[in-house]
Amino acid sequence: MHSLDDRCLRYLAEAVGCGSVRAAADKLDVNASAVSRQLAQMEAQLATPLIERHSRGVRATPAGHLLLDYYRRQASDREDVLAKLAALKGLRRGHIDVVLGEGFVGDLMSGLLQDFWARHPDLTMVLDLAATNDVVRRVVEDEAHLGLVYNPPPEPRLRTHLAMPHPIRLLVRTDHPLAAHPGPVRLADLAGHRLGAMHPATGIRQIVAAAEREEGVRLEPALTTGSIGVLKQFVASGAGVTLLPAFCAAQEVADGTLAVLPLADPGLNAVEARIVTRRGRQLAPAAAKLLQHLARGLAREGRAGERTLRKAMSDHGKPVDLTISGKNA
């Protein structure tokens, strides 16, 4: 019966994660020959190749991916068990890794995290910003306990704990000619207007690209960025317009700086923001507490943001259907 050596599994994970054996050896502070030798021995023991070498480094074979999934589950289970043992001893310490899209930062920093830390002052946290596909990957590979993501692609390994509609809207300055546009705006109506767009790797841009194909138009952004903040500054400066989820700009709309207009394409109105974890993962107490706190808080913030945005749009003569209702899954 074959045994799986933790050290060999770690070498495999680092080689695939770093993209090469040499880079993995540098990270692990061991000789590259030692990493290669251990991987070769594990391949011989299991009688199957675990990595494929190519011009840019190495990648995992199907058997390699199977072992990587096992190694990551083992590591996360060990972490969760240790955290639960600490909780049984009455300890209050713990650590949480969260990966999220930039659009969630405003919601978290508006008071949700402050409230959480007021209740659990000894817990530590890492918040990493990432594009949609990377949020999904990091949650599935147990690099993060929780993910907050816009419109993730279908992934059976993800579990959704909260899904909230977050339609994509046209964001313009209040004195922009399109601010007076009657009715929903078609993507074709943006022709002749300078457009700022999210990077193609982001969920927002992928949704917009699908709407372009559906409508038979091709948008040519003057500015492409991975930052929602940059796009809002782009619009606020009068440089152009952009397409973003409405609540990314709720405060600016409430302040009267920017206006949000509905879009005609139904695909742009059926977008969801989600809190996700890896299906089957038993979260440690600290992460489970944060998940519960965020699910309640984001649902509450979404309803409050809807009311604020509705009032602001009404004050500017632009009533818009912006219904937001959180649902647990």
Side-chain angles (χ1 to χ4, degrees):
M1 184 175 183
H2 299 303
S3 62
L4 296 176
D5 183 88
D6 282 348
R7 181 176 60 174
C8 292
L9 290 172
R10 186 184 179 199
Y11 284 1
L12 175 64
E14 294 296 351
V16 173
C18 294
S20 74
V21 170
R22 182 167 297 278
D26 290 341
K27 182 176 179 180
L28 295 166
D29 196 24
V30 298
N31 291 328
S33 60
V35 176
S36 294
R37 185 169 58 253
Q38 291 290 333
L39 292 177
Q41 288 176 357
M42 187 160 58
E43 288 179 323
Q45 181 188 34
L46 298 173
T48 185
L50 301 176
I51 58 173
E52 297 174 342
R53 288 175 170 79
H54 55 92
S55 58
R56 295 185 178 179
V58 300
R59 58 173 169 252
T61 65
H65 279 298
L66 188 65
L67 286 183
L68 288 174
D69 287 343
Y70 165 78
Y71 174 71
R72 289 165 183 147
R73 287 196 306 271
Q74 185 184 54
S76 65
D77 288 347
R78 181 187 299 115
E79 173 192 331
D80 294 345
V81 167
L82 290 174
K84 289 173 181 176
L85 286 173
L88 288 174
K89 294 179 181 178
L91 300 179
R92 299 298 182 184
R93 298 189 180 277
H95 179 77
I96 313 159
D97 289 302
V98 182
V99 59
L100 64 157
E102 184 189 358
F104 293 95
V105 172
D107 286 332
L108 294 187
M109 296 307 176
S110 66
L112 283 179
L113 288 186
Q114 290 89 328
D115 291 344
F116 182 75
W117 269 313
R119 300 178 187 181
H120 312 288
D122 294 324
L123 298 182
T124 61
M125 191 181 310
V126 168
L127 293 179
D128 280 337
L129 301 184
T132 297
N133 293 344
D134 202 36
V135 172
V136 171
R137 180 192 64 78
R138 293 178 66 175
V139 171
V140 165
E141 296 183 358
D142 287 334
E143 293 180 15
H145 297 97
L146 312 176
L148 284 76
V149 62
Y150 282 118
N151 203 57
E155 171 51 73
R157 292 172 292 178
L158 282 185
R159 178 185 176 190
T160 298
H161 296 269
L162 179 73
M164 297 181 62
H166 271 255
I168 292 179
R169 305 298 190 188
L170 177 65
L171 186 60
V172 302
R173 206 162 77 167
T174 51
D175 59 356
H176 191 278
L178 282 173
H181 190 281
V185 179
R186 297 177 302 121
L187 296 183
D189 296 330
L190 303 184
H193 297 281
R194 190 180 292 110
L195 176 69
M198 292 294 289
H199 191 276
T202 62
I204 294 172
R205 180 67 177 275
Q206 291 166 9
I207 299 161
V208 173
E212 290 177 56
R213 292 190 294 271
E214 183 68 23
E215 197 171 315
V217 301
R218 182 178 176 82
L219 301 177
E220 297 290 347
L223 169 68
T224 299
T225 177
S227 170
I228 289 173
V230 168
L231 287 181
K232 291 197 291 185
Q233 288 296 322
F234 174 77
V235 175
S237 70
V241 303
T242 194
L243 300 166
L244 287 174
F247 290 94
C248 290
Q251 188 58 55
E252 289 84 356
V253 173
D255 293 342
T257 306
L258 302 178
V260 169
L261 285 77
L263 292 160
D265 190 289
L268 298 174
N269 297 306
V271 186
E272 288 186 332
R274 300 185 177 199
I275 303 178
V276 297
T277 62
R278 177 175 63 77
R279 186 176 298 279
R281 181 170 189 180
Q282 297 297 313
L283 293 178
K289 288 176 184 176
L290 179 62
L291 171 61
Q292 185 182 48
H293 181 79
L294 291 182
R296 286 198 305 260
L298 287 175
R300 184 176 61 249
E301 292 282 337
R303 291 189 291 269
E306 176 192 359
R307 290 192 294 269
T308 300
L309 197 51
R310 279 183 182 278
K311 182 179 185 305
M313 297 303 291
S314 178
D315 290 346
H316 289 89
K318 288 284 182 181
V320 181
D321 181 9
L322 294 168
T323 302
I324 295 294
S325 58
K327 59 183 180 181
N328 290 299

